[in-house]
């Protein structure tokens, strides 16, 4: 039987919220102001301060958590703040009042090596990455050799920030078919999500 993951919630002056405890009944609470150099845990949920340098806070807890992923929580999520915490190395960013089911989905995605971001923030990051242009690839790119021609087309479209619907319209196929292609692409490369796929296609992974 596999060991239950240890979830650690870091916040400044409040008890475990009901949605946090409902999602992870065995979760621990840590005072974010306590002077710590290290802390044991499999996944850290960091409640961001309302003011101050959130990037620096994420960096601090990444060092304390060592190799464990850090997920940033915010009561008022904003794309700009999300970009800051993502650049500081957070593996996820979501609302501090998210439902227990969403929190469990976030944890599962991050535990499998993925990144959890809101849809609009994910779209922005993908677009920014695509606009920076690809680095000079090998010819042909190694990732492309693993895919069929149609899968390559879908992967390239994802790297431009296109949604499943937009890709379906471009290729005159159904969204279900796009999802099937993406499932195959994720398994073959392998990557966990659209962001990792974009980073790979643009030569940043």
């Amino acid at each position: 039987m596999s060991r239950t993951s240890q979830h650690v919630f870091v916040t400044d002056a409040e008890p475990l919220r009901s949605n946090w405890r409902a999602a992870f009944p065995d979760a621990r609470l840590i005072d974010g102001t306590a002077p710590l150099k290290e802390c044991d845990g499999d996944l850290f949920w960091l409640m961001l301060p309302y003011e101050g340098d959130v990037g620096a806070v994420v960096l601090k807890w990444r060092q304390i958590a060592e190799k464990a992923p850090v997920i940033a929580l915010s009561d008022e999520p904003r794309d700009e703040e999300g970009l800051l915490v993502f650049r500081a190395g957070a593996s996820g960013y979501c609302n501090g009042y998210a439902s227990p089911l969403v929190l469990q989905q976030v944890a599962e995605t991050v535990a499998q090596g993925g990144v959890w971001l809101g849809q609009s923030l994910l779209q922005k990051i993908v677009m920014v990455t695509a606009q920076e242009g690809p680095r000079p690839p090998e010819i042909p790119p190694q990732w492309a050799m693993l895919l069929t021609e149609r899968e390559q087309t879908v992967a390239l479209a994802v790297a431009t920030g296109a949604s499943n619907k937009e890709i379906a319209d471009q290729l005159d196929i159904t969204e279900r078919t796009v999802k099937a292609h993406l499932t195959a692409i994720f398994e073959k490369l392998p990557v966990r999500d659209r962001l990792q796929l974009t980073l790979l296609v643009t030569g940043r992974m």
Side-chain angles (χ1 to χ4, degrees):
M1 181 179 296
S2 61
R3 181 178 68 85
T4 302
S5 296
Q6 178 63 65
H7 295 265
V8 178
F9 283 81
V10 181
T11 183
D12 282 357
E14 62 177 302
L16 278 173
R17 294 181 181 178
S18 59
N19 57 322
W20 302 350
R21 189 174 294 281
F24 312 109
D26 298 326
R28 292 165 50 204
L29 182 69
I30 288 182
D31 182 354
T33 63
L36 293 174
K37 290 186 177 180
E38 60 182 32
C39 180
D40 292 332
D42 298 311
L43 201 155
F44 285 74
W45 301 79
L46 175 61
M47 193 70 217
L48 296 175
Y50 288 104
E51 298 179 349
D53 187 344
V54 294
V57 174
V58 171
L59 284 171
K60 168 190 169 183
W61 279 96
R62 280 195 62 216
Q63 293 175 346
I64 294 173
E66 295 185 339
K67 295 182 179 180
V70 173
I71 297 172
L73 297 169
S74 175
D75 287 344
E76 298 179 0
R78 305 184 311 278
D79 287 352
E80 295 75 14
E81 182 178 67
L83 284 170
L84 288 174
V85 300
F86 175 71
R87 287 169 178 163
S91 297
Y93 177 68
C94 70
N95 196 310
Y97 288 104
S99 70
L101 178 60
V102 169
L103 293 175
Q104 290 167 352
Q105 291 173 339
V106 174
E108 181 178 357
T109 298
V110 171
Q112 292 177 353
V115 175
W116 184 281
L117 302 169
Q119 185 60 40
S120 63
L121 176 56
L122 175 60
Q123 199 80 357
K124 277 189 177 180
I125 292 175
V126 168
M127 288 296 293
V128 167
T129 301
Q131 289 169 1
E132 289 176 352
R135 293 176 180 172
E138 299 176 14
I139 302 175
Q142 289 185 349
W143 65 265
M145 296 173 63
L146 300 174
L147 307 179
T148 65
E149 185 175 345
R150 179 49 63 93
E151 289 166 354
Q152 291 176 29
T153 303
V154 171
L156 289 168
V158 168
T160 67
S163 66
N164 286 358
K165 184 178 186 308
E166 290 169 335
I167 296 171
D169 291 343
Q170 291 172 16
L171 303 181
D172 195 23
I173 57 178
T174 65
E175 288 188 58
R176 178 177 294 183
T177 302
V178 174
K179 291 178 181 178
H181 283 315
L182 283 173
T183 298
I185 290 168
F186 291 164
E187 290 177 351
K188 289 180 178 180
L189 289 181
V191 292
R192 297 287 185 182
D193 48 44
R194 299 172 85 94
L195 179 57
Q196 287 191 356
L197 177 58
T198 298
L199 294 175
L200 179 62
V201 170
T202 56
R204 293 176 170 78
M205 179 177 172

